[in-house]
Amino acid sequence: MHYDEIMVRYGELSTKGRNRKSFIDRLGSNIREALHDFADLEIHPGPARTHIILNGDDDEAVMKRLKNVFGIQSFSPVLKVDRDFDAVSAAAKELMTALVKKPTTFKIQTRRADKKFPIDTFTMNDRLGGFLLDNFDQLTVDVHHPDIEMRVEIRRDGIYLSCETIPGAGGLPVGTAGKGMMMLSGGIDSPVAAYLAMKRGVSLEMVHFYSPPYTSEQALAKAKELTAKLAQYCGSIKFIQVPFTESQEDIKEKVPEGYLMTVQRRMMLRLAVALAHRRRGLAIFNGESLGQVASQTMQSMRAIEDVTTLPVLRPVLSYDKNEIIKIAKQLGTYDLSILPYEDCCTVFTPPRPKTKPRVDRSRECEEKIDVHGLMERALKGIKITTIHPGDEFLNQNEDVFAELL
């Protein structure tokens, strides 16, 4: 079965008011980016639907990509015909021939957007249903729980028929909520937090701290590969790697053991905020889940967040670990996250970190290090990479990684 086009339906953005057009335009742009390598497609965003004219391109491959585009409530592969009942009935017969292989129930659901079309909704349902019953012995009508629901949309530019409604990713188009900086570790939680932020329309840049020789090249590659997994939801992502060795060594040498973790996290947040100011980010995102570890108590969050007035947003704050793992497995990030390559968050972890650090004491400990000098040198050493879906960074050691998985 070869379809003419794919009809994309909007979800939450349909409720927007005067700025609805900007949301639809952004969704159209995101769809184009997701489908950039399909040469013959035509993409037409409209106020009620986005129409993707296939022009012979592979509909299955196109629909696989669309499933990951935020802002889409659902979509259907459709046949488009002239505004004529004979054309509608011929297309309906073609669809049913491809679908009906055994006794099957069905219903016709007509939506007449163009009220000037001479056949009203009830009459179209009745005539088309009768036509199909006459041509298919295996069909019977069930208006409540049919096996097949054939949708007929009557619009000014034609009539559209579909028998399949595929759920989309939902949420809001990436980019409609502004830009944020995601503090991405190599663990399970931060990729899930990034996914949830993008689902709410946030365009993210990944900020990853690395500390050679305490962290390996494999750990850095793992973070990039996680970013490539997430890039399928927005087309591409900027990956910013920040050298953190000097800062960690200085903190380890000069800060009391109980506050090592707190001051280290304060320094990371300072650097992320500095990058946000440089790159027009509106907020910092991280993968903190309340109470999960010592640095994620409310007292720790308050002591760490003391270094900035920029919003620090935590999409998985109220999720427990099992809920986060479930989403990570659905995203395909879980198996990467559990690869045993330590990131800098686990370097120099004290045996008894403060779970209730005081803000004033955190400030006193931080005065023991050269905050501005360390930040300046770290920011001079950043490296920015654009990462696309499917990019590979761990493939040079495929046998090793396969064994670890």
Side-chain angles (χ1 to χ4, degrees), residues 278-290:
R278 286 186 179 188
R279 302 183 62 80
R280 300 182 180 180
L282 300 175
I284 306 298
F285 288 77
N286 65 36
E288 292 180 341
S289 172
L290 187 60

Side-chain angles (χ1 to χ4, degrees), residues 152-351:
V152 181
E153 291 205 17
I154 303 170
R155 311 188 72 81
R156 292 181 181 179
D157 62 336
I159 297 179
Y160 299 85
L161 291 88
S162 64
C163 290
E164 185 177 11
T165 299
I166 301 167
L172 296 172
V174 172
T176 55
K179 181 194 284 189
M181 316 305 289
M182 180 74 216
M183 298 176 70
L184 182 78
S185 70
I188 298 169
D189 301 342
S190 55
V192 173
Y195 165 82
L196 294 172
M198 288 191 290
K199 189 172 184 178
R200 299 312 304 157
V202 180
S203 173
L204 290 177
E205 294 189 350
M206 303 301 174
V207 179
H208 179 75
F209 298 92
Y210 72 110
S211 298
Y214 306 106
T215 60
S216 65
E217 285 299 314
Q218 290 95 331
L220 180 61
K222 181 173 79 166
K224 290 181 177 180
E225 193 115 347
L226 287 168
T227 301
K229 288 280 188 183
L230 294 166
Q232 65 184 311
Y233 299 100
C234 58
S236 64
I237 297 177
K238 299 290 186 185
F239 182 89
I240 307 172
Q241 55 193 72
V242 184
F244 202 56
T245 305
E246 183 186 5
S247 296
Q248 286 196 286
E249 289 178 336
D250 206 41
I251 292 168
K252 168 68 174 175
E253 180 184 347
K254 298 175 180 177
V255 172
E257 183 180 271
Y259 277 81
L260 279 178
M261 181 183 61
T262 303
V263 174
Q264 177 177 290
R265 296 290 200 278
R266 284 168 65 97
M267 179 64 76
M268 288 179 173
L269 183 55
R270 286 181 183 277
L271 287 164
V273 169
L275 288 168
H277 289 318
R278 286 186 179 188
R279 302 183 62 80
R280 300 182 180 180
L282 300 175
I284 306 298
F285 288 77
N286 65 36
E288 292 180 341
S289 172
L290 187 60
Q292 190 176 118
V293 295
S295 65
Q296 296 175 18
T297 64
M298 283 198 287
Q299 292 90 342
S300 285
M301 291 179 186
R302 182 167 178 264
I304 295 164
E305 203 170 326
D306 171 61
V307 304
T308 184
T309 58
L310 208 64
V312 179
L313 305 179
R314 303 171 174 89
V316 297
L317 182 76
S318 62
Y319 286 55
D320 65 35
K321 196 66 177 184
N322 287 334
E323 291 171 324
I324 297 171
I325 288 173
K326 181 179 178 181
I327 298 173
K329 288 180 176 179
Q330 292 170 351
L331 299 179
T333 58
Y334 178 76
D335 287 340
L336 280 170
S337 293
I338 62 173
L339 289 174
Y341 303 124
E342 291 189 336
D343 56 48
C344 68
C345 294
T346 58
V347 173
F348 303 143
T349 301

Side-chain angles (χ1 to χ4, degrees), residues 15 23 25 89 101 131 149 200 242 261 266 313 327 341 355 375 388 395-396 403:
T15 65
F23 279 76
D25 289 345
S89 59
K101 307 298 181 185
F131 170 83
E149 179 176 324
R200 299 312 304 157
V242 184
M261 181 183 61
R266 284 168 65 97
L313 305 179
I327 298 173
Y341 303 124
T355 59
M375 285 186 61
H388 298 89
N395 60 343
Q396 293 181 353
E403 183 177 340

Side-chain angles (χ1 to χ4, degrees), residues 7 29 31 43 51 59-60 73 100 110 116 132 140 145 147 154-155 168 182 221 225 239 250 258 267 337 347 378 389:
M7 182 187 296
S29 177
I31 291 173
I43 300 170
H51 294 272
D59 53 82
E60 291 291 338
Q73 181 68 20
V100 178
T110 301
K116 294 181 179 180
L132 291 173
T140 55
H145 304 288
D147 297 318
I154 303 170
R155 311 188 72 81
M182 180 74 216
E225 193 115 347
F239 182 89
D250 206 41
M267 179 64 76
S337 293
V347 173

Side-chain angles (χ1 to χ4, degrees), residues 132-150:
L132 291 173
L133 287 171
D134 290 341
N135 282 271
F136 294 89
D137 294 335
Q138 293 179 302
L139 282 180
T140 55
V141 174
D142 182 346
V143 297
H144 299 295
H145 304 288
D147 297 318
I148 298 173
E149 179 176 324
M150 179 173 288

